[in-house]
Amino acid sequence: MESGKIKNVVFDVGNVLVRWSPLEIARLTFGDTGSPEESAKSIFQNSIWLDLNRGLFSESEAKDQYQQRVGLSELECQRLFYYVKQTQLMIYGSLDLLERVKAAGYGVYALTDNVTEIVDYLKSTYTFWGLFDGATVSAEVGFLKPQPEIYHSLLECHELQAAETVFIDDMPHNVKGAEAVGISAIQFQNAFQCEQALKTIGLVF
C-alpha cells in the first residue's frame, strides 16, 4: 500500500470497541443449566438473531420469537437482552486509539452488525459513538458482514473511496470481506497491536 494514502479509518464495534461475549451472556442468562456453548449457539447462531441484526424486527418481537420457536421463558428473554447489553464493556485502549486517530485528522466511521436497541444503549452509555463521522449499521441497511453489499453501502453512504479506507474488525472473514471490495483491513487483537498495524500502513497519529 502507498504510504499516506489512507484518509478514513472504519471501526467494527463488537470486540473492537466494546466486548462481545456470547458465552458469558449464555452463562449469565441460563446459569449452570446445560452447556453454555450450546445455549450460545441456539441463541446467537439462530435465524432469529440474524434477522434481528438485519433489522427485520424489533427486540420485543425477537423475544416473542425466542419464546415461540426456542422455548425460552419470558424471564429468560428479559435476562438475555439485559446481559446482551450490560456485558458490552469498553475494551482497554480502544477509545484512546479512536480519539487519537480522529484528532490526527482522519475520518472515523463505524461498520457494525448490530441491533437498533443495542446501538441506542451504546449511544446512551458511552461517548465513543459521538466521535464517528458516520456509521453503517446492519439493522439499518439490511445486510450483514461479510456480504459485499454492506461494505458498498458504507462507501456509498459516506462518500468514501475504498483505496483511501482501512477497516478494523476482529473476525477474519469480515476482514476478507472488506479486502474483497478493495478496502484495506486489519484484524484486531488489541488496541496496541491495532495501532502498530495502522502506523505500518502509513497512518501518522
Side-chain angles (χ1 to χ4, degrees):
M1 178 182 299
E2 183 182 340
S3 180
K5 192 175 182 181
I6 295 298
K7 298 179 181 179
N8 311 295
V9 182
V10 182
F11 292 80
D12 177 29
V13 174
N15 284 334
V16 172
L17 291 168
V18 296
R19 184 177 56 167
W20 173 246
S21 178
L23 276 178
E24 181 183 22
I25 294 166
R27 289 191 185 99
L28 290 166
T29 300
F30 302 107
D32 295 328
T33 60
S35 160
E37 290 80 5
E38 288 302 314
S39 295
K41 183 178 179 180
S42 71
I43 299 298
F44 298 110
Q45 294 182 30
N46 193 301
S47 62
I48 299 169
W49 184 256
L50 297 178
D51 286 345
L52 179 60
N53 275 265
R54 290 189 182 97
L56 298 184
F57 41 67
S58 67
E59 180 182 300
S60 177
E61 290 169 323
K63 290 176 181 176
D64 291 340
Q65 290 291 315
Y66 279 122
Q67 290 177 63
Q68 295 169 19
R69 293 166 51 188
V70 182
L72 299 189
S73 68
E74 182 178 354
L75 178 58
E76 286 172 331
C77 286
Q78 295 294 342
R79 281 204 304 256
L80 171 65
F81 281 91
Y82 174 83
Y83 285 121
V84 158
K85 299 180 182 75
Q86 295 296 326
T87 56
Q88 295 200 37
L89 305 176
M90 291 296 301
I91 291 176
Y92 182 80
S94 288
L95 177 58
D96 177 66
L97 176 62
L98 173 60
E99 289 175 334
R100 287 189 290 118
V101 168
K102 184 177 179 69
Y106 297 98
V108 294
Y109 299 85
L111 174 59
T112 176
D113 288 350
N114 225 319
V115 176
T116 300
E117 291 85 353
I118 294 174
V119 170
D120 290 343
Y121 169 79
L122 294 174
K123 287 178 178 179
S124 66
T125 304
Y126 299 117
T127 60
F128 69 83
W129 206 281
L131 296 172
F132 294 134
D133 296 301
T136 295
V137 179
S138 63
E140 297 173 0
V141 300
F143 299 107
L144 299 172
K145 296 174 290 181
Q147 290 179 278
E149 291 89 347
I150 198 168
Y151 302 100
H152 288 305
S153 179
L154 166 80
L155 296 172
E156 292 164 10
C157 179
H158 307 298
E159 300 181 341
L160 308 180
Q161 297 297 317
E164 297 175 347
T165 303
V166 60
F167 175 51
I168 301 163
D169 195 290
D170 63 302
M171 301 298 291
H173 55 275
N174 293 338
V175 167
K176 291 177 182 176
E179 292 173 337
V181 301
I183 299 171
S184 299
I186 292 167
Q187 185 176 347
F188 182 91
Q189 298 172 20
N190 56 63
F192 176 78
Q193 164 266 338
C194 185
E195 176 173 345
Q196 299 309 305
L198 288 170
K199 289 180 175 177
T200 295
I201 63 172
L203 276 74
V204 180
F205 59 95

